[in-house]
């Protein structure tokens, strides 16, 4: 906290009553902040003032910079309090607000991001905005105080221009967010275009897609691994692209070599220097990637992918999990303070030498290529840890010594002040994490991740799901703070329904199928556009403020899988289990809604590609029935080779009396004497029961 802001400690603003960790972090600021809501905008109308909207997140470095430079500055605060009604929003808590005002600022300035700074009329319509504004004239940007005074003057003295600008921005939001690209019968040709678009952006030298900054694209990697398992002309290339990318990411600075887990993205194209925040949704989807790769790749390559998956589990277990109640936390911050630019995660040679023996340091020096001049601009002595390439890595000592080095350095790092972990448990992100833990536990033969995933899902369903009231967006806020209910968005419904279906497959427990169907039905009732096709991201709200009145149908993966693609996937999975035509019809309509434009999204439409693959191929269900060693062998064989449209269902014989309708009709009568068997079903037909691994592998090879 700055010297200026210390003057205001003891005088808390209204954010001291907020539930969000990000909002509470601003409670000492001399700004008269308001939370998003009708009360703030009514105040703006009453006082005839514009609204200053600040959107950020607890993990966002530049949000903290702007807080310290501007919002803790008494002079800036005086201008804001005099001329504006100030509203602060946590983008994780209110993704509906964030997505729309991001679209607004992008329409105004050509770029978005956090912190997002927008100026609104009292009815919430944006007339100007940007991202980070410095306290003085630099970076080619005007000072924040000058921007504030200019926007206040425009509102007071050029109101017609303000209203005209706001109207234009609202039209731009509605146009940009209302995709109109309906086309009939999307199928294999469109899928091929999406796959080709992904592969064309592959960086052959460094792995990944595109150039700097470089983000992971988990949906694209799953799409390619699905292609790789199907044979044909594209399989070898897809396999290469996926494998190189997974290897390069795991060997880069974007991966935490000591604790496990992935940082948000890399500022360079070589995966060296990351933005150090760690998000639940990045790690859940990358965990699935590495688990699927462990299924699909053999030998040392598959073993290495399995190691990384277990390492991600280790980090999530330690830092991102409520081990007592179940559930997954939201994020870990990038740094402890504004003076700590990745210092918690990075090392000088002296820092490493201080915690290692001379022999261990010699190994660490070679293995991590610890240099006098490292990677960080603010402190060139700091190295981002990553295994050295080529001979330096292989000559660095045996695996036991390397592991001892990592353990000692991690133990020493734990003595540093740890960046903040936001312990808010968000509904949709928990759905993603549950699915990832189930995928990893099953692919790697680990019971504990499966057990924790089920406990977490049970907590989520108990806390946020009510068939009449719908779903809430937040399971629990961090540090036990209570907050007002925030309505769930499309992603919350889709991700949790998907997780419940994954849980049903893993356990055969009928309650998870029931939950998935209930949530899927509610998702259709609350979000589906029966006129135009596809799903809106929020329910219709006649009292919506400002840009929240714009209807939006999410298609792009950014950064989580798109709501419409995930919803289509849920519907296709429900159709396979129920046989109810409405699910297939709505899924097909959703895919058709975007079929005319989706190829232009390329890399960012991978989750659409995965849903389309499921629709094109149809479901393949492998039901493994029994609990003995043979059942386990059959399950392992069934899990081999990832395919998006393949599900492996574990059932005990006593569960055969409570099955989803379509499965109950297609599964043949299984005599008790047969013992453990696998039954492969496709569409409305099932093969005879299979009792041997060789027969099962052969049967799956035909599917």
């Amino acid at each position: 906290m700055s010297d200026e802001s210390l003057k205001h400690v003891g005088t808390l603003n209204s954010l001291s009553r907020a539930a969000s960790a990000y909002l509470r972090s601003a409670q000492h600021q001399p700004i008269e902040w308001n939370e998003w809501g009708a009360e703030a905008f009514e105040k703006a109308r009453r006082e005839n003032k514009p609204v200053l909207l600040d959107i950020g997140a607890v993990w966002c470095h530049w949000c903290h910079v702007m807080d310290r430079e501007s919002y803790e500055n008494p002079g800036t605060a005086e201008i804001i309090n005099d001329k504006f009604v100030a509203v602060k929003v946590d983008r994780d808590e209110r993704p509906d607000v964030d997505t729309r005002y991001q679209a607004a600022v992008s329409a105004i300035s050509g770029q978005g991001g956090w912190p997002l700074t927008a100026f609104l009329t009292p009815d919430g319509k944006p007339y100007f905005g940007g991202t980070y504004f410095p306290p003085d004239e630099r970076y080619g940007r005007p000072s924040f105080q000058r921007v504030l005074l200019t926007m206040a003057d425009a509102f007071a003295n050029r109101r017609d221009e303000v209203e005209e600008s706001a109207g234009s921005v609202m039209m731009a939001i509605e146009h940009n967010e209302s995709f109109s690209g309906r086309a009939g019968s999307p199928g294999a040709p469109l899928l091929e275009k999406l796959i080709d678009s992904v592969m064309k952006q592959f960086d052959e030298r460094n792995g990944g897609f595109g150039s700097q900054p470089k983000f992971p694209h988990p949906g694209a990697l799953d799409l390619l691994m699905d292609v790789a398992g199907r044979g044909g002309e594209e399989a070898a290339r897809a396999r290469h692209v996926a494998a190189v990318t997974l290897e390069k990411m795991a060997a880069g600075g974007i991966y935490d070599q000591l604790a496990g887990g992935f940082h948000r993205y890399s500022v360079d194209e070589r995966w060296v220097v990351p933005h150090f925040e760690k998000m639940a949704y990045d790690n859940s989807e990358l965990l699935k990637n590495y688990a699927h790769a462990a299924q699909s790749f053999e030998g040392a390559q598959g073993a290495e992918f399995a190691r990384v998956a277990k390492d991600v589990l280790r980090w999530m277990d330690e830092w991102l999990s409520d081990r007592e109640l179940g559930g997954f936390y939201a994020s870990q911050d990038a740094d402890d303070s504004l003076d700590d630019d990745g210092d918690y995660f990075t090392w000088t040679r002296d820092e490493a030498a201080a915690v290692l023996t001379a022999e261990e340091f010699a190994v660490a020096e070679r293995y991590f290529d610890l240099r006098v001049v490292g990677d960080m601009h603010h402190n060139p002595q700091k190295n981002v840890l990553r295994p050295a390439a080529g001979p330096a890595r292989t000559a660095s000592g045996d695996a036991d010594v390397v592991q001892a080095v990592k353990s000692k350095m991690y133990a020493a790092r734990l003595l540093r002040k740890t960046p903040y972990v936001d312990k808010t448990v968000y509904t949709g992100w928990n759905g993603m994490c549950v699915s990832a833990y189930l995928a990893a536990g099953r692919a790697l033969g680990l019971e504990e991740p499966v057990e924790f995933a089920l406990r977490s899902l049970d907590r989520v369903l108990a806390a946020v799901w009510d068939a009449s009231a719908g779903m809430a967006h937040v399971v629990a806020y961090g540090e036990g703070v209570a907050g007002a209910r925030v309505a769930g968005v499309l992603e919350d419904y889709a991700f949790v329904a998907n997780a419940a279906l994954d849980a049903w497959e893993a356990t055969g427990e009928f309650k998870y199928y029931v939950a998935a169907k209930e949530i899927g039905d509610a998702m259709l009732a609350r979000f589906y556009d029966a006129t135009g096709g596809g799903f809106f991201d929020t329910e219709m709200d006649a009292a919506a403020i400002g840009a929240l009145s714009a209807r939006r149908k999410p298609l792009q993966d950014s950064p989580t899988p798109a709501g419409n693609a995930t919803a289509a996937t849920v519907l296709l999975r429900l159709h396979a289990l129920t046989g109810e035509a409405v699910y297939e019809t709505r899924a097909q309509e959703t895919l058709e809604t975007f079929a005319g434009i989706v190829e232009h999204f390329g890399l960012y439409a991978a989750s659409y590609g995965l849903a389309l693959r499921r629709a094109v191929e149809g479901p393949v269900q492998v039901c493994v029935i029994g609990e003995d060693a043979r059942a386990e062998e059959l399950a392992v064989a069934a899990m081999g080779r990832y395919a998006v449209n393949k599900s492996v269902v574990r059932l005990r014989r006593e569960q055969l009396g409570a099955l989803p309708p379509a499965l109950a009709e297609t599964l043949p009568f299984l005599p008790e004497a047969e013992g453990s068997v696998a039954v492969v079903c496709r569409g409305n037909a099932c093969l005879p029961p299979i009792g041997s691994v060789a027969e099962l592998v052969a049967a799956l090879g035909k599917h």
Side-chain angles (χ1 to χ4, degrees):
M1 194 176 291
S2 69
D3 292 339
E4 288 292 341
S5 65
L6 285 172
K7 297 176 184 177
H8 304 279
V9 174
T11 305
L12 302 181
N13 60 45
S14 67
L15 296 186
S16 63
R17 300 187 294 274
S20 153
Y22 174 63
L23 298 187
R24 289 201 315 278
S25 72
Q27 64 185 315
H28 294 290
Q29 293 172 2
I31 310 284
E32 295 171 10
W33 286 115
N34 298 266
E35 292 190 65
W36 177 274
E39 186 178 331
F41 289 89
E42 177 54 38
K43 180 181 179 183
R45 281 190 288 271
R46 189 170 61 249
E47 298 180 4
N48 194 30
K49 290 181 178 180
V51 172
L52 168 66
L53 175 65
D54 172 70
I55 303 179
V58 70
W59 44 263
C60 166
H61 174 79
W62 285 99
C63 300
H64 298 315
V65 171
M66 194 160 173
D67 277 343
R68 184 171 74 175
E69 291 178 340
S70 293
Y71 295 133
E72 293 176 7
N73 180 287
T76 301
E78 185 176 355
I79 295 171
I80 293 171
N81 293 337
D82 180 50
K83 299 184 180 296
F84 296 90
V85 172
V87 175
K88 202 171 187 75
V89 170
D90 179 344
R91 64 88 42 218
D92 294 343
E93 183 183 39
R94 293 302 303 263
D96 53 339
V97 176
D98 178 59
T99 52
R100 284 157 177 78
Y101 286 99
Q102 289 287 349
V105 169
S106 292
I108 292 167
S109 68
Q111 65 178 23
W114 303 283
L116 181 133
T117 310
F119 297 89
L120 320 179
T121 62
D123 57 359
K125 295 177 181 177
Y127 65 92
F128 185 72
T131 53
Y132 165 79
F133 288 103
D136 43 46
E137 314 280 330
R138 54 184 150 107
Y139 309 130
R141 299 172 188 243
S143 74
F144 189 43
Q145 288 194 7
R146 181 153 73 91
V147 171
L148 289 167
L149 292 171
T150 301
M151 290 304 106
D153 178 73
F155 183 82
N157 300 312
R158 300 195 306 279
R159 191 67 168 268
D160 289 346
E161 293 178 32
V162 164
E163 295 291 348
E164 183 179 352
S165 176
S168 298
V169 174
M170 286 295 292
M171 288 177 63
I173 297 172
E174 290 166 0
H175 174 74
N176 291 340
E177 298 298 321
S178 300
F179 292 119
S180 178
R182 195 172 185 88
S185 302
L190 178 57
L191 184 60
E192 291 300 318
K193 288 180 180 179
L194 292 173
I195 294 165
D196 184 58
S197 176
V198 169
M199 292 210 272
K200 280 181 177 175
Q201 294 185 64
F202 176 57
D203 179 348
E204 189 72 51
R205 169 177 287 186
N206 303 299
F209 307 96
S211 58
Q212 61 186 24
K214 186 169 280 183
F215 288 81
H217 289 277
L221 291 172
D222 269 357
L223 187 61
L224 294 178
M225 282 188 280
D226 178 271
V227 172
R230 295 182 184 276
E233 295 179 7
E234 290 184 320
R237 178 63 177 166
R239 188 180 185 86
H240 171 74
V241 172
V244 169
T245 299
L246 291 167
E247 288 167 352
K248 295 286 189 179
M249 285 196 301
I254 192 174
Y255 186 65
D256 187 340
Q257 303 294 331
L258 300 184
F262 285 87
H263 300 291
R264 180 71 192 91
Y265 66 93
S266 172
V267 301
D268 58 274
E269 71 276 8
R270 297 182 297 124
W271 306 109
V272 174
V273 179
H275 255 226
F276 288 95
E277 62 269 18
K278 288 178 168 181
M279 311 301 298
Y281 53 74
D282 289 320
N283 282 279
S284 70
E285 301 312 280
L286 287 165
L287 173 57
K288 283 197 291 189
N289 283 160
Y290 283 91
H292 294 156
Q295 288 174 260
S296 302
F297 291 84
E298 298 175 347
Q301 199 173 38
E304 172 63 8
F305 294 145
R307 181 196 68 80
V308 176
K310 291 175 183 176
D311 229 18
V312 176
L313 284 169
R314 175 170 65 93
W315 177 74
M316 293 181 75
D317 281 351
E318 184 174 1
W319 292 101
L320 224 61
S321 301
D322 185 333
R323 306 310 295 177
E324 180 183 354
L325 299 176
F328 297 88
Y329 302 140
S331 62
Q332 183 176 28
D333 208 340
D335 31 49
D336 171 57
S337 70
L338 298 184
D339 301 317
D340 163 22
D341 190 0
D343 288 352
Y344 174 78
F345 296 100
T346 54
W347 294 78
T348 66
R349 287 170 58 87
D350 288 345
E351 287 171 338
V355 300
L356 301 173
T357 67
E359 178 189 359
E360 289 167 341
F361 178 75
V363 170
E365 182 182 31
R366 292 192 299 272
Y367 183 82
F368 287 126
D369 189 22
L370 296 175
R371 288 150 290 128
V372 174
V373 178
D375 306 296
M376 304 302 293
H377 290 301
H378 77 293
N379 182 354
Q381 293 181 311
K382 283 280 195 175
N383 290 267
V384 178
L385 297 185
R386 63 194 187 281
R393 180 177 179 182
T394 56
S396 61
D398 63 39
D400 290 341
V401 179
V402 170
Q403 188 54 51
V405 165
K406 289 182 177 181
S407 296
K408 278 193 173 184
M409 292 180 75
Y410 185 43
R413 196 177 87 180
L414 290 174
L415 299 176
R416 302 173 180 177
K417 190 171 181 183
T418 306
Y420 180 77
V421 173
D422 180 3
K423 294 187 176 180
T424 305
V425 180
Y426 288 107
T427 300
W429 296 357
N430 266 256
M432 296 169 68
C433 291
V434 167
S435 290
Y437 262 51
L438 290 170
R442 300 187 74 193
L444 304 174
L446 302 173
E447 292 183 6
E448 201 283 330
V450 173
E451 292 171 356
F452 187 77
L454 297 175
R455 185 149 53 93
S456 299
L457 180 58
D458 290 343
R459 180 188 180 188
V460 170
L461 291 172
V464 303
W465 171 238
D466 180 279
S468 58
M471 187 171 280
H473 178 62
V474 181
V475 177
Y477 286 96
E479 286 87 46
V481 178
R485 184 181 188 275
V486 179
V489 296
L490 174 63
E491 285 189 359
D492 294 316
Y493 285 74
F495 291 143
V496 174
N498 217 35
L501 289 169
D502 290 337
W504 179 77
E505 290 178 7
T507 66
E509 294 292 337
F510 197 66
K511 67 176 184 178
Y512 293 123
Y513 159 74
V514 171
K517 188 175 186 306
E518 285 183 352
I519 296 168
D521 289 342
M523 182 177 73
L524 276 172
R526 293 171 179 269
F527 299 95
Y528 191 74
D529 179 3
T531 303
F535 290 83
F536 295 114
D537 66 331
T538 59
E539 298 184 62
M540 175 66 84
D541 180 2
I545 299 167
L548 284 187
S549 64
R551 305 312 312 273
R552 176 176 177 268
K553 294 179 181 177
L555 171 62
Q556 182 172 319
D557 301 338
S558 60
T560 55
N564 268 279
T566 309
T569 292
V570 168
L571 297 182
L572 291 169
R573 296 180 73 181
L574 285 173
H575 176 256
L577 295 175
T578 65
E580 294 180 26
V582 64
Y583 296 127
E584 184 177 42
T585 299
R586 294 301 190 222
Q588 186 66 25
E589 288 172 353
T590 299
L591 294 173
E592 290 174 358
T593 297
F594 307 104
I597 57 167
V598 69
E599 67 181 276
H600 302 298
F601 288 79
L603 188 64
Y604 295 91
S607 63
Y608 179 98
L610 290 166
L612 182 56
R613 171 69 80 184
R614 191 182 287 272
V616 167
E617 299 292 339
V620 175
Q621 294 167 323
V622 187
C623 298
V624 178
I625 299 141
E627 299 175 78
D628 59 11
R630 190 204 295 182
E632 196 58 39
E633 291 170 359
L634 291 168
V636 170
M639 291 292 293
R641 187 179 68 78
Y642 167 70
V644 67
N645 63 317
K646 181 181 70 176
S647 58
V648 179
V649 183
R650 292 301 303 267
L651 294 165
R652 303 187 305 274
R653 282 194 172 270
E654 61 265 29
Q655 293 175 318
L656 295 176
L659 292 173
L663 205 55
E665 289 180 11
T666 55
L667 268 182
F669 175 70
L670 301 170
E672 193 70 39
E674 283 198 45
S676 294
V677 294
V679 181
V680 179
C681 302
R682 181 160 198 167
N684 296 320
C686 295
L687 298 177
I690 295 169
S692 78
V693 167
E695 289 179 77
L696 177 58
V697 171
L700 288 173
K702 298 173 184 176
H703 285 70

